[in-house]
Amino acid sequence: MSDIVNRLRTNRECLAPCLMDDAADEIVRLERVMLDLIAEHDRQIELIATLRQELKESKARNTMYLSRIQEYEAREY
């Protein structure tokens, strides 16, 4: 929990403690949303890295296959 939330929850001498509690609850909710978004971002980054590696491997296979086709065609003619 953030320092702001802790200060809001412990500062009971304020004029509107209910508003302070609501604000603290909203900050906690927003922190959860932020952490969820960060986790999703991290998953997307991992997925992109995996897809890049798969693309690289696919390009290498395609180059190898093309080379084999060219060798075969060269022998045929």
Side-chain angles (χ1 to χ4, degrees):
M1 196 172 313
S2 73
D3 186 48
I4 294 170
V5 172
N6 288 332
R7 281 186 278 147
L8 287 172
R9 290 197 187 280
T10 58
N11 187 11
R12 300 290 181 192
E13 297 84 38
C14 68
L15 296 175
C18 292
L19 290 176
M20 298 301 277
D21 285 343
D22 289 348
D25 291 343
E26 183 65 9
I27 289 170
V28 169
R29 186 189 72 75
L30 291 172
E31 284 177 334
R32 278 191 216 116
V33 169
M34 181 186 67
L35 291 174
D36 289 344
L37 290 171
I38 290 169
E40 179 60 27
H41 175 264
D42 292 345
R43 282 190 294 274
Q44 293 294 326
I45 294 296
E46 288 177 22
L47 177 61
I48 289 169
T50 300
L51 292 172
R52 283 184 175 157
Q53 183 61 34
E54 289 176 5
L55 178 61
K56 184 179 176 181
E57 292 168 2
S58 295
K59 285 180 177 180
R61 276 194 308 276
N62 286 345
T63 301
M64 180 187 65
Y65 295 147
L66 181 59
S67 176
R68 287 183 183 172
I69 290 169
Q70 289 170 342
E71 288 172 10
Y72 176 78
E73 287 175 345
R75 281 185 274 152
E76 289 293 314
Y77 298 109

